[in-house]
Amino acid sequence: MPKSSVAPRASQGCSKRSIAEYLLRSTSTVLEAIFQESGNVGASIGLLEDGNYTFHDIGTRALDDDQPPTKNSRYLISSMTKPFMGLAISILVADGRHGICFETPVKDILPELEGRTPLVSDQMEPELTIGHLLAHRSEFLRYTNLWESPEGHIPWTTIDPVLSLLRHMPRSSQYTEKTFDNSRNYSNECFALLAEVVERTARMPWGEFVTERILQPLHLTSTFTDVPQDHLQDRNSYVASHSVSVDGLMAGGHQLWQRNCMTGPTAEPLLIEPSQVSCVNRGSKPSPLGAAAGMVSSTKDLLKFFGYLLEVFGSLQGQRYDLGHKISEVERGMITWWRHILSHTQSENSIYAGGWNTTNIFWNPCDLKHRWPGSDGDNARRLQSAIRSSHSDGALTANRLWYFFQQLSIGGGVGVGKKLALYHGGNMVGATSSCFLIVVLCNTRGFYLDAANIACMFLADALARKATDPRALQTLCANLDTVVRHIKGSYIRDLALYETRLEREYSQLACAEDFPGCVGRFRLVPGVFAEIQGHAGGSLRFQLYGKGFEYPLRARHDCCAVSSEVTMTFAMPMRDLVPLGVGGNNRLNIRDFELVFRGRRASGRPFEEFVWVFDRNGVYEDGDESAFAWKRVA
C-alpha cells in the first residue's frame, strides 16, 4: 500500500490540550505504521477523557477511495454488538412486567429446547439460564465454525436451525458449570438465542427493540441494527470491507524472527464483499445472528454509549440513585446491567459477563489466564502462542507487556486496590476493539494482525499511566513493536504449517466422477442439511443449507473411489480463503473440516452418511459418533 494512504490526520474534538490529544499526536506515526503494514486501509480512533472527545483518522474509507474516514463513519462493529444486547436484556429484566430475570431458564421462553439431548457425561448440570447466555457459560458444541462463509455469505438467517441443533445434538462434556473458572465457551448462538428471548418477551423484532429502547433515547444516530446491502456502497456513510493477500506474507515472513524491529512483509489489502450478517433480508426482519455480530456504528457513537454507561456506574457507586424517583427506562436498564456484571465480577474467575470481557486490574501474569487482559479474538491466541513458542527471541516476556494491566491501579499507585476493566473486540470485516473509554474501528479483517485491538490496548496502557514523558512513551512503543512482531510471526508460522499439511495429506480432485458415492443431499437434524455436487472441471463442492459458498473438497491421499470409507476435507488453502474474507485461527485446524464418508452397502454404491465432528475436544474421541452423522436424503 502506498505510504501516502496512511498519512497522519489532524486530531479533532478537544478544545483544550489533554493527555489523550497528546498521546494520539505523539504516537500517530507508530500507530499508522502498524495499521499500514498489517494491510489495513483505514481506521478511526476515539478517546474519551474527562468528558472530552479526541479523534484521529487513518488512511481512507476504501481502497478505491481517497477520502479519510471520520468520527461519524459507519463500520460493521462485529461482536461489539453484544454489549448492546446485554443492555437490551437488562432493560427487559428491569421492567418487571415481563416476568424474566437473569436466572430464568431459557427453556421457559423457548420451549423448543425442552427435552434437549442430555450431556455426554454422567453429571447433570444446572438449567441453562439467560445469565448463562450473557456470560458464554453454555455447554453448546462449537457449531459456529461456519456461521459466516467466504464472500460474506451467512448460511442460516432464522433461529430455527440453531434450535434444532441444540435440541437434537449432544452437549459438550468439556464445558460444565464447574469448568468455567477463568474460561468461557464463546458461542454466537448464545446471543442469537438472546435475540429470540427479546422478540418473544417484548413481542417485537430484536432490531426494533434495540433501536426504540436504546439507540433513539441515547441519540446514537450513526448506529443501526441492520443495513440494506445496497446502502453499504454509500462511501459518504459506510466504509468498505477489506481483507489481505497471503502470498506476500508467507514469502517474507521469516524476516520477522531475524530482526529486532517491526519488519517483514507488508500485507497487501484487497476489497471484499461485506458480511451479510448486518443486512436486512428484503421483506423480513434482521437475522438473529445480527444480535451477535451485525450492528454498525461509528467511533463517536460508541464513545457516547460508553460515556453514558460510565456516568450511570459513577452515580451507582456514589449511591446517588434513588430508584423510587422517576428515571428513564434505559437508565434503569443500565443500573440493572451494572449490578449484574458487578455480581459476577466479584469472583476473580469471571472473565465474561453481560456481553463484555471482564478483568480485574491489576493482573498478575503468574496467574496465566487463558488470555491477556485487553486482548481479544485471534490476537489473544497468537500472543499466548508466541510467548510459548520456541521461535521466540526471548524478548517477549510478561514483564514487558502491558504494565498497566499487571500492576498499575487506575486510582492510585502500584498495588493500590483493584479496578474492573471491560473490553470487547470483533474479528469480522470492520474489526473493532474497546477498552471502555477507547474505541478503535478499522475496515480490514485482522487476520495478519488485529491492529484495532493492539492499538486499543496500547492507548489504554498509555492513557491510564498519563504517559506524557517522551522516554516513557518510547519504552511503551518499543514494547508494542515487540508484541506486534511476534503476533505477526506466530500467524505466518501457523499459515505455513497449515499449508504444508494440507498439501502433504490431501489432493485436489482431478475428476469428481472418481467419487460418485459422495454426491448427494445429507441431513444432520431437521432443518440442517448439506449438499455435495460435482462441478465442471472435476471438483466436488460442499455447500451448507443448500445456499451460500461452495467449498471445494479434497480427498486424503490414501483414499480411492472403491474404499469402504473415504475421508475428504473442505479446508482451503489460505491463499484462496483469506482474500475471500475468512481465515482466522479457527480455520487453521484441518481436522475440523474433515468429512468421513462411510456406510456404503457395496463397492461402487453411494455412501449412506458422512461424519463431521464439530467439536472434537468436547466429545469423547473413542465414543459413539453416530450423533454427528449426516444421513443421505433420498
Side-chain angles (χ1 to χ4, degrees), residues 218-354:
L218 298 181
H219 306 290
L220 302 179
T221 57
S222 293
T223 305
F224 302 93
T225 58
D226 54 82
V227 181
Q229 187 81 1
D230 55 348
H231 286 200
L232 293 175
Q233 307 305 318
D234 176 11
R235 290 290 160 263
N236 291 321
S237 299
Y238 299 92
V239 300
S241 299
H242 304 85
S243 188
V244 297
S245 172
V246 171
D247 285 331
L249 299 183
M250 297 182 67
H254 66 280
Q255 299 176 47
L256 291 171
W257 298 101
Q258 297 175 346
R259 304 188 183 184
N260 293 322
C261 58
M262 189 179 65
T263 58
T266 295
E268 291 297 323
L270 303 166
L271 270 169
I272 61 173
E273 290 296 318
S275 171
Q276 296 174 6
V277 73
S278 65
C279 300
V280 172
N281 298 306
R282 301 296 191 272
S284 65
K285 62 185 181 181
S287 162
L289 265 178
M295 291 177 63
V296 296
S297 189
S298 67
T299 308
K300 183 179 179 181
D301 264 16
L302 286 178
L303 278 183
K304 186 189 298 185
F305 179 53
F306 301 156
Y308 286 135
L309 293 174
L310 261 191
E311 184 178 343
V312 169
F313 175 76
S315 298
L316 189 63
Q317 293 295 92
Q319 297 183 339
R320 293 193 291 272
Y321 272 113
D322 180 357
L323 295 184
H325 289 75
K326 185 175 182 179
I327 59 176
S328 69
E329 178 186 63
V330 68
E331 199 171 14
R332 189 180 296 272
M334 287 181 181
I335 295 170
T336 302
W337 180 82
W338 270 117
R339 287 176 171 168
H340 173 69
I341 289 179
L342 292 173
S343 68
H344 274 260
T345 54
Q346 293 299 315
S347 168
E348 293 284 333
N349 297 326
S350 172
I351 66 167
Y352 200 98

Side-chain angles (χ1 to χ4, degrees), residues 381-403:
R381 291 180 283 271
R382 291 179 194 151
L383 181 59
Q384 204 72 0
S385 172
I387 291 172
R388 294 171 178 169
S389 170
S390 59
H391 295 271
S392 173
D393 62 9
L396 193 62
T397 63
N399 291 334
R400 290 193 64 174
L401 295 175
W402 319 132
Y403 176 78

